[in-house]
Amino acid sequence: MSKRPFESRPWRRARDAFTLAEMLVSIAVLALLVLIVSQLINGAATIVRPAHKHIDTDTQARAVLDRMALDFAKMLKRTDVDYYVKAPTGYKNPNSHGNGQKLTTGQQGNDQIAFFSEVPGYYPSTGSQSPVSLVGYRLNQNTKAGNPSYLMLERMGKGLLWNGVNNGTSSYPIVFATGQIIASCTNKCPCTGTTGPWAGPWSAAICNDNSANSVDPDGSYETIGPGVFRFEYYYLRKDGSITDIPAESWDGTKTVSANLN
């Protein structure tokens, strides 16, 4: 029997797995793809986030302005009731009724306003409800710990009762008398000389500090602008001009002291 000569065949390495170099290249490519995708997502989020905040701010502002427009449209415009509006210190025009908190050199900080309006409010549990409410707006300035409304826009809607109703001293009806609000002092609120409900159950409509007089006993204040941190208003006169003086008798060409004297 003849033997077949030995046949030599080329040796082949088994390729059952990736090499280390291939693994490193794959990981590098995958990391690059993840980085690119994450950058795209972050870029899109950066664009969308401010847009959402802008939409939220516009929505909140629209609700606040709509509420104010309704309150002002229904404002009780009479010469025998008090208003709490901003005006220069010492301003005594009989049509403004409330001096408001304003320095001689101009309004410092946030404005505050209170007036009567024919809109529903939070009424007492007993008594005959009238269509009139005491409405007020302020940016809460109470810095005491635990105050959830600090630096937020609040609205007061205190429903009033009919005149002549026997309701004790805590729930007042609308008061047809002017000159009850004194706002000439700077060290306390309400100022000495303030009379009627403005010195008691309505004091939160004109006070905005850390005192107990700034807290409404009936809980008629509610936060309507949690994102609002500035509140200013001006007066539109009949001649179309805009000013921070509430009456047309004010001469803008004269100094403050000249107008007051």
Side-chain angles (χ1 to χ4, degrees), residues 26-58:
S26 300
I27 293 174
V29 172
L30 179 61
L32 181 61
L33 291 176
V34 171
L35 178 62
I36 294 174
V37 172
S38 63
Q39 291 295 330
L40 291 175
I41 294 175
N42 290 336
T46 303
I47 296 174
V48 172
R49 192 179 300 112
H52 284 172
K53 289 183 178 180
H54 184 71
I55 293 174
D56 293 341
T57 303
D58 286 348

Side-chain angles (χ1 to χ4, degrees), residues 124-154:
S125 57
T126 59
S128 300
Q129 300 176 359
S130 76
V132 178
S133 296
L134 175 61
V135 176
Y137 287 93
R138 71 179 184 183
L139 203 74
N140 192 299
Q141 302 291 328
N142 191 325
T143 59
K144 289 185 177 180
N147 177 20
S149 301
Y150 177 59
L151 292 183
M152 296 182 183
L153 182 64
E154 294 182 315

Side-chain angles (χ1 to χ4, degrees), residues 65-123:
L65 293 176
D66 288 346
R67 180 69 260 181
M68 286 183 174
L70 179 60
D71 290 337
F72 286 121
K74 297 288 187 177
M75 180 190 292
L76 205 63
K77 302 178 181 68
R78 298 173 60 106
T79 58
D80 56 353
V81 295
D82 265 334
Y83 301 84
Y84 187 77
V85 296
K86 70 174 183 179
T89 300
Y91 186 67
K92 300 183 183 302
N93 188 292
N95 292 326
S96 68
H97 305 309
N99 291 334
Q101 295 179 345
K102 181 172 182 178
L103 303 180
T104 302
T105 55
Q107 179 73 19
Q108 305 294 318
N110 289 284
D111 297 339
Q112 190 173 351
I113 190 171
F115 53 91
F116 298 106
S117 183
E118 295 183 82
V119 293
Y122 294 104
Y123 291 94

Side-chain angles (χ1 to χ4, degrees), residues 190-214:
C191 295
T192 302
T194 300
T195 60
W198 299 101
W202 295 357
S203 63
I206 60 177
C207 298
N208 191 13
D209 50 26
N210 289 344
S211 67
N213 294 322
S214 296

Side-chain angles (χ1 to χ4, degrees), residues 2 26 56 63 72 109 125 131 133 136 147 153 158 162 171 173 176 183 200 225 229 241 243:
S2 62
S26 300
D56 293 341
F72 286 121
S125 57
S133 296
N147 177 20
L153 182 64
K158 185 184 291 292
W162 283 108
S171 301
F176 294 99
F229 57 89
S241 62
T243 179

